[in-house]
């Protein structure tokens, strides 16, 4: 059975997007080689990427561009090559290479993908998708990058969680730029 990883960045005060929905505070650090190596190594993994509409539109507006291919060739190449599935009620089509559109019951679709897929899957960002799949017990691992920034207000990824989900710490890693990666799995 394929595993599902949810990867997202949060501010120190727990927001995954600022009050305007922006993510500029979570930009890469050009002066931290260890962090950049970590990001590049993560990008070379396989499997399928899952997105909600907002994250898909953000990613599709950057990774296929000539600028991304020039400035981040390893990550851009992998982002463009990997199979991608976008969950949306409003999109009618998707144009980014290797991308399919999914409409329907999100937990049922992901449950079926996990049962049939050979490779693992990852959700990058996509707060509403992560929330729904966490509540359905379908996320096998949460990887949070805690950024050393206080936003004061914004969007909390689990603000609408219906019931607590107990987790156990599986990994930690701190970087010179102040980012800390925390890995958690469901405690059950």
């Amino acid at each position: 059975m394929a595993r599902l990883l949810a990867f997202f960045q949060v501010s120190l005060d727990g927001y995954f997007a600022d009050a305007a929905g922006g993510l500029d505070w979570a930009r890469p650090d050009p002066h931290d080689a260890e962090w950049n190596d970590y990001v590049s190594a993560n990008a070379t993994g396989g499997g399928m990427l899952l997105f909600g509409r907002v994250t898909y539109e953000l990613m599709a507006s950057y990774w296929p561009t000539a600028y991304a291919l020039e400035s981040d060739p390893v990550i851009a190449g992998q982002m463009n090559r990997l199979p991608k599935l976008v969950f949306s009620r409003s999109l009618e089509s998707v144009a980014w290479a290797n991308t399919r559109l999914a409409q329907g019951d999100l937990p049922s679709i992901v449950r079926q993908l996990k049962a049939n897929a050979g490779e693992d899957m990852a959700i990058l960002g996509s707060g509403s998708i992560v929330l729904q799949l966490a509540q359905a017990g379908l996320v096998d691992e949460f990887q949070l990058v805690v950024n050393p920034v206080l936003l004061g207000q914004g969007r909390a990824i689990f603000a609408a969680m219906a019931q607590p989900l107990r987790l156990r710490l599986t990994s930690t890693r701190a970087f010179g730029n102040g980012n800390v990666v925390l890995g958690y799995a469901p405690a059950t």
Side-chain angles (χ1 to χ4, degrees):
M1 180 182 278
R3 293 176 37 83
L4 178 60
L5 165 78
F7 181 90
F8 49 96
Q9 299 205 37
V10 296
S11 64
L12 190 57
D13 48 354
Y15 299 111
F16 79 100
D18 64 23
L23 303 172
D24 289 345
W25 53 270
R27 294 278 183 207
D29 185 345
H31 307 292
D32 189 335
E34 182 187 17
W35 172 252
N36 294 331
D37 288 346
Y38 172 79
V39 171
S40 291
N42 269 358
T44 60
M48 178 184 290
L49 299 176
L50 308 181
F51 298 115
R53 179 193 56 81
V54 173
T55 304
Y56 165 75
E57 288 176 341
L58 177 71
M59 299 280 195
S61 72
Y62 177 71
W63 290 115
T65 67
Y67 178 77
L69 291 166
E70 183 179 317
S71 61
D72 293 311
V74 172
I75 298 171
Q78 190 68 347
M79 292 296 289
N80 292 322
R81 274 190 298 276
L82 285 173
K84 296 167 278 295
L85 187 61
V86 179
F87 294 92
S88 175
R89 292 182 199 101
S90 59
L91 287 177
E92 294 181 15
S93 65
V94 290
W96 191 7
N98 302 313
T99 303
R100 295 183 297 134
L101 183 61
Q103 296 175 318
D105 182 61
L106 173 65
S108 296
I109 293 169
V110 171
R111 202 171 280 112
Q112 184 176 8
L113 285 170
K114 286 182 71 164
N116 297 334
E119 293 194 53
D120 291 344
M121 298 172 285
I123 308 167
L124 305 179
S126 300
S128 64
I129 301 296
V130 172
L131 175 64
Q132 292 174 62
L133 295 175
Q135 290 181 133
L138 293 169
V139 178
D140 298 295
E141 183 179 353
F142 298 88
Q143 282 189 0
L144 290 81
V145 178
V146 180
N147 286 252
V149 61
L150 297 169
L151 297 177
Q153 58 183 333
R155 289 185 53 206
I157 201 162
F158 297 109
M161 192 83 173
Q163 295 188 38
L165 175 62
R166 300 274 181 220
L167 304 171
R168 62 181 172 79
L169 183 66
T170 58
S171 63
T172 62
R173 184 167 175 189
F175 293 87
N177 63 10
N179 287 352
V180 178
V181 178
L182 301 171
Y184 289 95
T188 57

